Amino acid sequence: MLVKNWMTKAVVTVDPATAMNDAIKLMGKHHIRILPVVKKEKIVGVVTDLDIKRASSSDATLLEVHELHHLISRLKLKEIMNKQPVTVPIDYTSEEAAEAMAHNKVTGVLVVDHDQRLAGVITETDIFKALISVTGADRKGVQFAFQIEDRPGSIKELTDIIRQYGGRLLSILTSYDRVPQGYRNLYLRTFAINRQRLPELKEKLSACAKFMYMIDHRENKREIAE
């Protein structure tokens, strides 16, 4: 899932000389938390709602209210912006963008094209939407989680059983985190299964792999292994 398919393309940008008050109004009007700062089509920085909060409160304990408002009205974005914004290429995957956000501890990054021009912005909210889409969580199916042997065919054994019960697969995800050597965790999301046959299906699946949990999102029923 490429960043270009999930990013916001109609990006609101500002000039370095923009007053902070004007930036606050823009963020409120467009319901955004990130403002790329551009000069002559070149990215020179970025301002977030956190940057504005920090600038607004830096001297709040020392100044009276009217003095604080006067100080804020004089501040320009070039004085508070991050001059080294985190950027990702337009052909990055959403996972790579998420990794860049986590590594840099930011809630969004600027997306640049092959000429290093601003192409869009992708935020943690966009990543959440991509995650919901790729996992099929919005389809309200049934998710199974198992710890399986890390060998060829171990996933197929389980998916074949699900298909025998008329189930269709929405997503198949695996992880090697926090598992013994030679194993991995498997997360299967399915739909079109007769709910009355779920206990029987769970029993057959559990005979092939270590059961971790089953969640029926439509009925909001959960079975968690102890």
Side-chain angles (χ1 to χ4, degrees):
M1 304 212 345
L2 297 179
V3 161
K4 66 180 180 181
N5 297 323
W6 293 95
M7 68 184 186
T8 298
K9 297 177 183 178
V11 182
V12 179
T13 64
V14 287
D15 184 89
T18 301
M20 193 172 81
N21 268 347
D22 292 334
I24 294 172
K25 292 175 183 176
L26 275 175
M27 286 181 164
K29 178 181 177 180
H30 296 280
H31 306 288
I32 54 178
R33 295 184 293 168
I34 297 177
L35 279 174
V37 184
V38 177
K39 186 174 183 179
K40 296 180 180 179
E41 298 187 356
K42 181 181 178 181
I43 301 170
V44 294
V46 67
V47 172
T48 68
D49 56 346
L50 183 58
D51 296 320
I52 288 178
K53 287 174 184 176
R54 286 172 177 163
S56 300
S57 62
S58 58
D59 295 319
T61 57
L62 303 177
L63 298 173
E64 293 183 6
V65 174
H66 70 278
E67 292 176 315
L68 179 59
H69 283 294
H70 178 66
L71 174 64
I72 292 174
S73 67
R74 293 179 55 190
L75 276 176
K76 305 297 182 183
L77 295 187
K78 62 183 178 181
E79 299 174 63
I80 66 169
M81 69 182 186
N82 180 348
K83 297 178 181 178
Q84 294 182 318
V86 181
T87 64
V88 298
I90 197 168
D91 55 3
Y92 251 36
T93 64
S94 56
E95 304 97 288
E96 289 174 303
E99 187 178 21
M101 290 183 207
H103 177 75
N104 292 281
K105 298 179 180 179
V106 294
T107 58
V109 293
L110 308 186
V111 183
V112 295
D113 63 17
H114 300 295
D115 296 317
Q116 294 301 301
R117 294 176 301 187
L118 182 66
V121 171
I122 188 161
T123 67
E124 59 185 6
T125 300
D126 300 316
I127 298 296
F128 295 155
K129 291 177 181 178
L131 178 63
I132 291 169
S133 175
V134 75
T135 60
D138 55 341
R139 293 292 298 271
K140 303 299 182 185
V142 179
Q143 186 182 54
F144 292 96
F146 296 93
Q147 187 177 103
I148 64 173
E149 293 181 55
D150 186 21
R151 57 174 173 79
S154 59
I155 296 177
K156 186 176 183 298
E157 291 172 2
L158 297 174
T159 57
D160 282 350
I161 294 173
I162 289 174
R163 291 189 180 98
Q164 289 171 12
Y165 280 74
R168 296 175 60 188
L169 293 166
L170 282 166
S171 62
I172 302 173
L173 302 174
T174 67
S175 171
Y176 288 96
D177 290 340
R178 301 169 187 165
V179 293
Q181 184 71 26
Y183 290 84
R184 57 176 161 165
N185 288 336
L186 171 67
Y187 306 92
L188 298 171
R189 192 179 297 275
T190 72
F191 71 108
I193 292 178
N194 184 335
R195 258 60 180 186
Q196 293 182 345
R197 300 191 71 189
L198 272 178
E200 181 185 343
L201 172 58
K202 176 202 161 187
E203 185 177 342
K204 285 211 170 185
L205 291 170
S206 300
C208 294
K210 181 182 177 181
F211 174 79
M212 294 168 58
Y213 65 78
M214 179 182 74
I215 300 176
D216 185 343
H217 291 280
R218 192 185 72 183
E219 305 296 332
N220 196 25
K221 294 180 179 178
R222 301 163 187 266
E223 291 187 36
I224 314 295
E226 295 182 359

